[in-house]
Amino acid sequence: MRCPYCHVDNDRVLDTRAAEAGYMVRRKRICNSCHRRFSTLEKLEQLNVRVVKSDQTREPLDREKIRRGVERACSKRPIQSSKIEQVVQSIEAEIYESFDSEVTATQIGAIVLRHLASLDEVAYIRFASVYREFDDANDFIQAISKIVGPNAKK
């Protein structure tokens, strides 16, 4: 690893810790040349799963896009950031376990909805309204009845 200060490839690792629930490794290093400390983050190289969009274009799976969608749905809800991160990791893991090379945007949306349904009902409805392109109040009523079911408060 090249030192970010003197650019010499001569360092040693001082400490190694797991990060992001074991999906990353953070290493504290010291350069043997200039003796400055720096940190590196190693991330597991993901398989190349491509997303097939509705217009049939393909793009690489973007974890940050999933995170932004989940965060937007959970906006102003009493949900901790760590819980959102766990949900995003679960969604990503399910995609990589279930699909080898391609996944449709529709399939990703369904996976996200399933995870949001168990996380927060309001976040589920918010995401569903955008994902399923709700047109009127009846669409909201149908989505709410799916998640609330026969236990609805009257």
Side-chain angles (χ1 to χ4, degrees):
M1 181 67 59
R2 290 193 181 275
C3 172
Y5 305 106
C6 69
H7 307 290
V8 172
D9 186 11
N10 184 13
D11 65 83
R12 66 174 197 236
V13 175
L14 299 174
D15 185 36
T16 301
R17 294 178 188 231
E20 301 283 334
Y23 288 97
M24 292 187 189
V25 175
R26 182 178 308 278
R27 297 189 196 279
K28 292 182 182 177
R29 299 173 181 265
I30 187 166
C31 177
N32 291 329
S33 181
C34 69
H35 304 289
R36 293 181 79 178
R37 293 174 182 238
F38 60 97
S39 295
T40 59
L41 193 62
E42 296 176 22
K43 184 177 178 182
L44 179 66
E45 189 174 346
Q46 295 292 348
L47 304 172
N48 292 329
V49 173
R50 301 190 59 78
V51 178
V52 181
K53 302 182 80 167
S54 59
D55 63 358
Q56 298 305 306
T57 59
R58 286 161 171 73
E59 63 182 42
L61 179 66
D62 185 355
R63 180 181 214 275
E64 290 307 309
K65 249 184 175 174
I66 295 170
R67 179 195 308 279
R68 284 191 304 270
V70 171
E71 285 177 344
R72 200 172 300 126
C74 295
S75 173
K76 298 183 183 178
R77 297 294 301 153
I79 303 169
Q80 297 175 345
S81 297
S82 61
K83 190 66 177 166
I84 291 173
E85 178 60 31
Q86 287 174 354
V87 167
V88 172
Q89 284 180 355
S90 297
I91 292 167
E92 185 181 34
E94 184 174 335
I95 291 169
Y96 282 113
E97 287 173 14
S98 303
F99 303 96
D100 291 329
S101 59
E102 290 187 338
V103 59
T104 65
T106 304
Q107 291 168 316
I108 293 174
I111 292 169
V112 172
L113 275 175
R114 195 171 58 256
H115 285 269
L116 284 177
S118 63
L119 178 66
D120 185 78
E121 293 173 350
V122 173
Y124 170 86
I125 297 299
R126 284 179 178 170
F127 190 87
S129 69
V130 173
Y131 167 67
R132 293 187 179 147
E133 299 175 352
F134 287 3
D135 291 324
D136 55 27
N138 287 328
D139 293 337
F140 281 94
I141 292 168
Q142 287 176 352
I144 291 168
S145 65
K146 279 184 185 177
I147 197 165
V148 176
N151 301 327
K153 295 179 185 174
K154 297 188 181 188

